[in-house]
């Protein structure tokens, strides 16, 4: 197609800036889980925006939050590894922060050294005054020559269309890399795993969530008499300690039942069909420092 544009974009920002919420809003589909917990996103998730004259492939990277575990290191490296491999970067900052954080200073240094074309997005504009917004814009303008600076509210989808238009200005002429009906590179198994983890993150206390991951042990479908598929999914939530296992299961199994019920309801909406979900909990001590497991499950695709 003549004058058709396509290209790759990296979405980067510190943890809890709202990257996953923005990604879901950009494509109007749920491909990234959203919770108020830190380090919710663990892998690089691709979302595809298909427009009449463009195709934008955006990768949501783990939030910048350097920890000491092997998992934290892989997530940190993954976030920065994308910068030199894309056509432009979306640098998302939380407008409610008082000053430029240490994490955002690190991101700015990486952007400066790569000289990559970057759009600065200031999120949560609905929560700050106009005066505060202008101060933030001025402080970041002094740091780098951004292609544009866009205030948005990812939660309310305000300003999101402008982000897409600004990306299209930067992208080169190119082919379609994905079919028109594709909106993510995640498989249904991966989506199911992430939905279950999301419900656990939202329901569990602060101590447990960072020490869990979800494996989909079984994902099968069969056709009912009505002609619609029903998915049979069996999943295991892995945690670090026996005490965590007890918290996840809850008294009389009530917490695990809530996680399973909310997960099933979300998956049925996502897949537009019935889901039969069974979830177990097992302990895998110190898995976050198991290099083989972490690299296999969480390394950049």
């Amino acid at each position: 197609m003549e004058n058709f544009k396509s290209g790759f974009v990296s979405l980067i920002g510190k943890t809890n800036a709202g990257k996953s919420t923005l990604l879901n809003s950009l494509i109007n589909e749920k491909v990234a889980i959203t919770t108020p917990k830190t380090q919710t996103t663990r892998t690089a998730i691709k979302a595809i925006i298909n427009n009449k004259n463009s195709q934008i492939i955006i990768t949501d990277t783990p939030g910048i939050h350097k920890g000491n575990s092997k998992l934290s290191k892989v997530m940190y490296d993954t976030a920065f590894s994308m910068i030199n491999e894309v056509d432009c970067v979306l640098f998302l900052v939380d407008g409610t922060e008082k000053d430029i954080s240490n994490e955002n200073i690190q991101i700015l240094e990486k952007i400066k050294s790569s000289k990559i074309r970057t759009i600065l997005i200031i999120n949560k504009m609905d929560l700050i005054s106009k005066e505060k917004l202008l101060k933030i814009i001025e402080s970041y303008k002094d740091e780098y020559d951004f292609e544009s600076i866009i205030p948005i509210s990812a939660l309310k989808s305000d300003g999101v269309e402008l982000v897409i238009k600004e990306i299209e200005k930067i992208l080169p002429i190119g082919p379609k890399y994905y079919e028109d009906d594709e909106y993510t590179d995640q498989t249904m198994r991966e989506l199911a795993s992430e939905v279950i983890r999301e419900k656990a993150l939202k329901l569990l206390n602060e101590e447990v969530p960072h020490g869990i991951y979800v494996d989909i042990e079984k994902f099968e479908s069969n056709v009912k008499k009505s002609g619609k598929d029903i998915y049979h999914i069996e999943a295991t939530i892995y945690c670090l300690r026996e005490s965590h296992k007890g918290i996840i299961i809850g008294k009389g199994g009530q917490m695990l039942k809530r996680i399973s019920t909310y997960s099933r309801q979300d998956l049925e909406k996502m897949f537009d069909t019935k889901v039969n979900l069974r979830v177990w909990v097992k302990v895998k001590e110190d898995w976050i420092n198991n290099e083989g497991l972490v690299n296999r499950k969480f390394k950049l695709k």
Side-chain angles (χ1 to χ4, degrees):
M1 187 185 300
E2 190 177 354
N3 296 325
F4 187 86
K5 288 188 165 188
S6 63
F8 298 83
V9 177
S10 178
L11 175 55
I12 193 166
K14 66 172 288 188
T15 188
N16 271 358
K19 295 186 296 85
S20 296
T21 302
L22 174 58
L23 191 75
N24 292 338
S25 184
L26 283 166
I27 65 168
N28 201 28
E29 294 280 357
K30 183 172 182 175
V31 294
I33 65 174
T34 58
T35 80
K37 314 282 186 181
T38 58
Q39 291 187 305
T40 296
T41 301
R42 286 177 173 171
T43 60
I45 298 170
K46 282 191 177 68
I48 301 109
I49 303 173
N50 287 299
N51 292 323
K52 183 179 178 181
N53 297 310
S54 69
Q55 185 176 81
I56 305 168
I57 300 100
I58 300 182
T59 302
D60 178 22
T61 56
I64 303 301
H65 177 88
K66 198 162 188 179
N68 296 319
S69 69
K70 178 63 181 176
L71 175 61
S72 293
K73 184 179 185 304
V74 167
M75 289 166 62
Y76 184 85
D77 292 344
T78 296
F80 283 132
S81 67
M82 299 295 297
I83 288 181
N84 294 314
E85 300 176 8
V86 294
D87 297 293
C88 82
V89 166
L90 301 182
F91 176 23
L92 186 69
V93 302
D94 182 346
T96 63
E97 292 188 340
K98 289 183 179 179
D99 301 299
I100 301 178
S101 65
N102 289 332
E103 291 90 346
N104 283 340
I105 289 171
Q106 291 177 52
I107 295 169
L108 279 166
E109 290 306 311
K110 292 286 185 179
I111 289 171
K112 287 175 184 177
S113 62
S114 68
K115 298 179 181 178
I116 188 75
R117 299 179 75 174
T118 302
I119 298 170
L120 176 67
I121 304 174
I122 302 169
N123 193 21
K124 306 180 185 178
M125 69 173 186
D126 53 313
L127 301 178
I128 60 174
S129 66
K130 186 176 180 179
E131 290 74 21
K132 172 75 186 295
L133 177 60
L134 290 172
K135 285 181 181 178
I136 297 169
I137 291 172
E138 286 303 316
S139 63
Y140 276 95
K141 275 176 71 175
D142 292 339
E143 295 292 332
Y144 192 69
D145 184 20
F146 294 102
E147 296 292 317
S148 56
I149 299 176
I150 308 172
I152 70 161
S153 170
L155 192 61
K156 296 183 177 181
S157 296
D158 289 344
V160 169
E161 285 298 321
L162 183 56
V163 173
I164 294 173
K165 288 178 182 177
E166 289 298 316
I167 295 170
E168 288 178 332
K169 290 179 183 178
I170 296 172
L171 294 187
I173 300 296
K176 280 189 179 182
Y177 294 94
Y178 294 88
E179 297 298 323
D180 287 340
D181 60 349
E182 293 184 83
Y183 60 87
T184 184
D185 68 333
Q186 291 195 98
T187 65
M188 294 177 79
R189 293 179 75 104
E190 289 169 332
L191 287 168
S193 171
E194 285 293 89
V195 165
I196 296 165
R197 188 166 68 91
E198 177 187 56
K199 303 314 171 192
L201 286 169
K202 288 182 174 179
L203 291 169
L204 296 168
N205 62 36
E206 289 294 327
E207 182 183 8
V208 177
H210 302 305
I212 68 169
Y213 74 92
V214 179
D215 254 351
I216 303 299
E217 314 287 352
K218 175 182 174 182
F219 194 109
E220 296 177 352
S221 67
N222 59 24
V223 181
K224 296 166 61 181
K225 289 181 180 179
S226 64
K228 291 200 80 173
D229 282 345
I230 179 169
Y231 290 106
H232 301 279
I233 303 172
E234 295 182 3
T236 301
I237 299 174
Y238 286 94
C239 58
L240 291 167
R241 302 181 189 61
E242 282 292 337
S243 60
H244 290 180
K245 180 180 178 180
I247 294 170
I248 297 168
I249 293 172
K251 187 176 180 180
Q254 286 303 303
M255 177 58 74
L256 185 59
K257 184 177 180 180
R258 289 176 69 197
I259 293 170
S260 301
T261 299
Y262 293 149
S263 298
R264 178 184 55 77
Q265 291 170 347
D266 216 12
L267 289 170
E268 288 182 338
K269 290 178 185 176
M270 185 178 287
F271 298 154
D272 191 29
T273 192
K274 295 292 291 181
V275 171
N276 176 25
L277 176 66
R278 300 179 70 188
V279 183
W280 290 268
V281 184
K282 294 181 181 178
V283 176
K284 188 166 285 191
E285 293 184 359
D286 203 32
W287 69 263
I288 58 175
N289 288 305
N290 182 320
E291 186 168 355
L293 188 151
V294 168
N295 281 335
R296 185 173 71 252
K297 287 195 64 64
F298 304 111
K299 206 169 181 68
L300 181 66
K301 297 176 185 178

